[in-house]
Amino acid sequence: MKVVALLEVLDSDIRLSWRSRGDTFGQCSFDIDGNKYYVTFDHDSDGDDWEISFGLWNEMSSKLQFGMTGTGNSFRVMSGVVKACREYLVPRNPISVWASAKTNSRMMVYSRLFRAFCPDWDISTDGGVVQGIRPGYVFDGGKWKTSK
């Protein structure tokens, strides 16, 4: 729990600016030391699985940069992403959250993120995907079902 407490302290000065807070899609941004980061939430057609992504806006290329950025702000960035997850995802009570990653370091980042905002969930990694599953659920026959 020390990591979660540290993230909560670090996120106290992070202000999220929400571009969209709809039922099926959410996106916000926040600034750290002049760098703009975006967090995006998107769900599948039945709304049980939510995809999470975040990255640094690169002004030169006009694209999001998803790898390690080298800004030295990893704890504060993670705090902002966790804050966004708590504000957007937690009220929606998802069964499953997932993120895709091209590198092992990014997979570790998503694993830590999921452990920070859903610490009791089952977290798994497979084939470039990190997934968190709410306790008590299994995927069976194309649908999430309670395992009880």
Side-chain angles (χ1 to χ4, degrees):
M1 279 312 216
K2 290 180 182 179
V3 171
V4 173
L6 175 63
L7 292 173
E8 289 172 351
V9 168
L10 291 173
D11 82 7
S12 62
D13 69 335
I14 294 173
R15 303 290 175 247
L16 301 177
S17 175
W18 288 95
R19 297 177 66 182
S20 175
R21 266 187 135 154
D23 292 336
T24 61
F25 179 82
Q27 185 177 63
C28 69
S29 63
F30 58 91
D31 293 308
I32 297 177
D33 296 337
N35 295 305
K36 183 172 288 249
Y37 297 87
Y38 283 88
V39 184
T40 303
F41 305 96
D42 199 1
H43 80 85
D44 67 356
S45 60
D46 63 11
D48 294 331
D49 295 303
W50 284 87
E51 179 182 10
I52 302 171
S53 63
F54 70 95
L56 170 67
W57 181 253
N58 185 320
E59 289 289 333
M60 301 276 291
S61 66
S62 296
K63 293 181 181 178
L64 284 176
Q65 180 179 341
F66 291 103
M68 302 307 255
T69 62
T71 63
N73 292 315
S74 58
F75 277 108
R76 291 183 68 211
V77 170
M78 186 63 68
S79 296
V81 176
V82 168
K83 184 175 186 173
C85 288
R86 286 187 176 145
E87 285 187 20
Y88 186 81
L89 279 183
V90 170
R92 285 161 175 77
N93 201 26
I95 293 173
S96 166
V97 294
W98 66 276
S100 60
K102 291 182 181 179
T103 65
N104 286 341
S105 62
R106 190 64 169 191
M107 287 181 70
M108 287 175 43
V109 167
Y110 280 118
S111 293
R112 289 182 186 133
L113 167 66
F114 293 170
R115 289 189 204 299
F117 86 91
C118 47
D120 299 330
W121 289 28
D122 296 321
I123 310 297
S124 64
T125 58
D126 184 33
V129 174
V130 179
Q131 184 173 32
I133 301 170
R134 179 179 295 282
Y137 284 89
V138 295
F139 196 72
D140 182 30
K143 288 281 189 189
W144 287 106
K145 297 179 181 176
T146 57
S147 59
K148 298 174 185 173

